[in-house]
């Protein structure tokens, strides 16, 4: 069994369907988010400004719709990030849905960057995994409450949650039940990949 990585903080956003999110800066340890004065000689001005802005960075979001599709969005200033296709694969794998049910809006150039040019200091892999872990947890908890089955006895596969008795709930049917009327923070653990 692989030990989980340190806990990360994700969010369930207030919405009529399940919307799980994570900060783009999630991949950075808290102590590394702001450069120390001694680091100024080792980094260029662009790297220092990027690191200083990370604590206020926007969120990546994973939305589970009532039709069972999962939509992934990046904030507008990161929409040119080329991690979209790998993110869709991470989402399909993490939520056990067919890849065709994951929707990724087309990349748009923003902030003067050329289409397809990644933001130099923002790895999106960990934040996507955090948002997916939050969504997965909420879906399993919603299925547990609906079926009266402990979360540990549920399985998420092919876009549905099933219990040992064979009862099945599509994630679309759980999207509204797993939603929240207020934004809440959810700690999640990730396993190393």
């Amino acid at each position: 069994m692989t030990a989980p990585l340190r806990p990360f903080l994700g969010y369930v956003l207030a919405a009529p369907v399940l919307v799980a999110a994570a900060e783009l800066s999630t991949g950075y340890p808290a102590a590394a988010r702001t450069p120390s004065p001694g680091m100024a000689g080792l980094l260029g001005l662009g790297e220092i400004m990027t690191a200083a802005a990370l604590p206020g960075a926007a969120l990546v979001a994973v939305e589970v719709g009532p039709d069972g599709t999962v939509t992934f969005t990046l904030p507008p200033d990161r929409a040119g990030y080329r991690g979209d296709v790998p993110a869709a694969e991470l989402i399909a794998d993490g939520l056990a849905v067919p890849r065709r049910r994951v929707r990724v809006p087309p990349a748009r150039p923003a902030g003067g960057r050329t289409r397809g040019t990644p933001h130099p200091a923002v790895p999106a892999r960990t934040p996507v995994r955090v948002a997916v872990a939050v969504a997965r947890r909420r879906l399993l908890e919603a299925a547990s409450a609906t079926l009266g089955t402990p979360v540990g006895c549920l399985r998420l596969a092919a876009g549905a949650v099933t219990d040992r008795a064979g009862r099945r709930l599509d994630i679309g049917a759980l999207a509204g039940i797993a939603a929240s009327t207020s934004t809440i923070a959810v700690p999640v653990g990730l396993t190393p990949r």
Side-chain angles (χ1 to χ4, degrees):
M1 184 170 159
T2 308
L5 298 173
R6 67 181 168 81
F8 290 91
L9 193 61
Y11 304 92
V12 176
L13 304 182
V17 294
L18 176 59
V19 179
E23 291 183 53
L24 275 170
S25 59
T26 297
Y28 292 91
R33 288 189 180 164
T34 305
S36 66
M39 294 295 287
L42 300 174
L43 300 173
L45 179 60
E47 289 90 357
I48 292 171
M49 290 176 65
T50 298
L54 284 174
L59 302 173
V60 296
V62 173
E63 177 181 322
V64 179
D67 62 353
T69 59
V70 182
T71 305
F72 168 66
T73 56
L74 283 165
D77 66 330
R78 305 288 193 258
Y81 180 74
R82 267 307 233 186
D84 295 353
V85 172
E89 292 168 5
L90 283 172
I91 294 163
D93 183 50
L95 291 178
V97 296
R99 170 62 181 87
R100 69 181 182 282
R101 287 176 63 176
V102 179
R103 308 280 187 257
V104 178
R108 310 183 307 263
R113 282 194 304 268
T114 306
R115 178 184 296 263
T117 303
H119 188 278
V122 183
R125 183 178 181 89
T126 299
V128 170
R129 289 185 63 213
V130 170
V132 167
V134 170
R136 182 181 183 92
R137 177 174 165 177
R138 291 292 289 200
L139 289 167
L140 290 171
E141 289 170 351
S144 174
T146 303
L147 297 172
T149 304
V151 170
C153 296
L154 297 172
R155 187 172 146 249
L156 185 56
V161 178
T162 56
D163 66 6
R164 291 179 180 162
R167 295 181 293 175
R168 182 179 190 276
L169 293 170
D170 188 81
I171 62 170
L174 295 168
I177 300 165
S180 178
T181 57
S182 62
T183 298
I184 55 173
V186 179
V188 293
L190 300 179
T191 55
R193 289 193 147 221

